[in-house]
Amino acid sequence: MQEMSLIKQDPIIADIIARETERQSNEIELIASENYTSLAVRIALGSILTNKYSEGYPAKRYYGGNTIIDEVELLAIERAKELFSAEHVNVQALSGSPANAAVYMAFLEPGDKVLGLRLDHGGHLSHGHSVNFSGRLYNFVQYGVDPETGMIDMAEVRRVALEEKPKMIVAGFSAYSREIDWDGFKAIADEIGAFTFADIAHIAGLIAGKQIANPVPIFDVVSTTTHKTLRGPRGAIIMCKEKYAKQVNRAVFPGMQGGPHDNVTAAKAVAFGEALKPEFQEYSRQIISNAKALAQSLINKGYGIVSGGTDNHLLVVDLSVLNIGGKEAEQALEAVGISVSRSTIPNDPKPPLNPSGVRLGTPAVTTRGMKEIEMEKIASFIDRALKGKDDVRVLTEIKAEVKSLCQEFPLSL
Ligand SMILES: Cc1ncc(COP(=O)(O)O)c(C=O)c1O
């Protein structure tokens, strides 16, 4: 019905959406930060809540007509609190980077010193990279992973923290496949009186699904996107101790943003409701089991995996063994209908635009219902496509096999 009216009104956009729907249906999505939302999430996103302006917070708005919108926001807050055992939640942040900007604004002054994980060791741009607002506004110092193990070395984090005495320590990542020692970070921060900030954008769904330890009860403040393992709409939330509630809310609005996107808030509430169901725990368990199976199948084929494996939904594959770069690998895999993202490996000798690795993640294929056996098939597609990247016949053959596997696990549209 809604689709019909879009086709009538704007056939060009309708056609683009139809083609993207077909692409998503027939291709294997291994980008660790992506997922397929439920129809319920998308209905909330496309709802008339998008028409409303609601600057402010429930019962304290700067616009009239917000009584019903207040119900949406309060429900999203309640569900997020239950999901993460949070004392306070702000559900208005528009996306991960603006959420992190609000966290810094709430706890720091420009120029303050912050300690975060290096981008090329798995951190995120908003954890202090020089091209990002975070690196420009704040004085970031960084820790990396151990060159031998590929894992965060807490003794090294402590050494840098004691030497630099940052006002805040950031724990979190975009491309790190091991569990984080939240208590260890907290203990180090306590030694120097620093704030603790966890960015769980990647692993929030695994935490909500009770497969990975939860930093929310331990840390001062935690941000997460809602669209990765959490399988909600594009957006973010910020959770903190009650004593920081006011400063966090003030940093989001009026500090960073104007009106919240109420349709997105409703879709976040729907996703949190889905994540509160017992099935979500099984889903999260399967994501990790699939990532381990994918890593093992690639190891069996001779590939290196940074840190030797994974405890979460992602793995970083070191392509040095094939002597090809991450960009070429990304392109060869795209040619067969497999989406991945190029990635640096720690202390990468290659440049960031064509680094030595690719990052793979299993949230989206797990949403489709794929299991360990399909991960073996996917590892074989990857291996054959990378080795046959210059042979059109091989690539065409694999593309057909990828499509046929996808058709066994249709998306619920
Ligand atoms: C750890 C982490 N923080 C923040 C972000 C930024 O999120 P967004 O792309 O929604 O701004 C990402 C996105 O990849 C991320 O991985």
Side-chain angles (χ1 to χ4, degrees), residues 33 94-98 100 123-124 126-127 172-174 199-202 223 225 227-228 234-236 359:
S33 48
L94 300 179
S95 218
S97 294
N100 290 352
H124 187 256
S126 63
H127 299 177
F173 56 81
S174 296
D199 178 349
I200 58 169
H202 263 267
S223 73
T225 55
H227 47 272
K228 302 182 184 173
R234 304 199 78 79
R359 186 189 64 170

